[in-house]
Amino acid sequence: MTRLSKHHITLTVNGRACALDVEPHHTLVQVLRDQLGLTGTKLSCGEGECGACTVLVDGETVNSCLMLGVEADGREVVTIEGLEQSGELHPVQQAFLDAGAVQCGYCTPGMIMSAVRLLRRTLHPTAAQVKEAMAGNLCRCTGYRRIVQAVIAAGAALSTSEPKRRNQ
Ligand code: FES
Ligand code: FES
């Protein structure tokens, strides 16, 4: 059987330039977790249904189980590990903790990445807007109410923070 050769890609992950040789059939979540050790991004359904693997690629939310690693060539990827600044949690991370929006935590990194994208566009979303923006992120534990509360609270916190933090 012919084995396809690896592809060399360069990308930015959490602000750092990376050069990697990736298997052509490996997904971005595999590359992030297995090659870069960024295990904060979770792999659950592997079919684009649950949102656990959500990361930002060029500022947009992507199910990293559906994107090949080679497709990330030349792009900018942000994972949950990239949100903290100087040891301080991102306001969305803090709001999830404060609101008790985390139980088993498996959905949480993906939820937070979707919330970050929403709040970059709308700092004061309604509950309906939060639910719509997070519709692709499933949670089996929390019942969603506290997650919605956390996103709204994070928007309020971000609105009083430095502009740099808001766009992070
Ligand atoms: S693991 Fe990617 S959407 Fe479920
Ligand atoms: S906290 Fe367990 S799946 Fe959401």
Side-chain angles (χ1 to χ4, degrees):
M1 195 169 75
T2 316
R3 188 176 162 79
L4 295 172
S5 58
K6 288 185 178 181
H7 289 256
H8 187 73
I9 63 169
T10 56
L11 69 165
T12 304
V13 181
N14 298 334
R16 287 174 47 184
C18 301
L20 296 169
D21 293 317
V22 300
E23 296 284 357
H25 60 287
H26 279 185
T27 57
L28 178 59
V29 65
Q30 286 176 289
V31 172
L32 292 170
R33 289 178 58 87
D34 302 339
Q35 289 189 247
L36 294 174
L38 297 170
T39 54
T41 302
K42 303 303 180 204
L43 177 59
S44 184
C45 70
E47 297 178 346
E49 296 293 337
C50 73
C53 63
T54 304
V55 298
L56 299 181
V57 177
D58 294 338
E60 294 298 327
T61 46
V62 164
N63 287 331
S64 60
C65 70
L66 293 184
M67 182 174 181
L68 289 172
V70 292
E71 292 178 289
D73 190 20
R75 320 221 13 211
E76 187 170 335
V77 178
V78 179
T79 70
I80 191 74
E81 289 92 343
L83 295 184
E84 181 186 295
Q85 260 188 11
S86 311
E88 205 176 298
L89 291 179
H90 187 282
V92 178
Q93 293 174 300
Q94 190 61 53
F96 268 63
L97 287 179
D98 294 344
V102 180
Q103 287 189 27
C104 81
Y106 211 78
C107 70
T108 308
M111 287 279 181
I112 288 175
M113 299 316 290
S114 292
V116 165
R117 181 196 170 277
L118 168 67
L119 296 175
R120 279 184 188 165
R121 287 156 178 78
T122 315
L123 269 182
H124 299 289
T126 63
Q129 286 173 315
V130 175
K131 286 178 192 170
E132 187 182 340
M134 317 274 286
N137 294 86
L138 305 184
C139 176
R140 287 173 172 267
C141 308
T142 64
Y144 299 101
R145 192 170 55 87
R146 288 173 187 236
I147 291 173
V148 173
Q149 286 171 354
V151 177
I152 291 171
L158 278 164
S159 69
T160 60
S161 68
E162 294 170 27
K164 189 171 157 245
R165 194 55 161 153
R166 254 175 260 163
N167 296 321
Q168 187 200 3

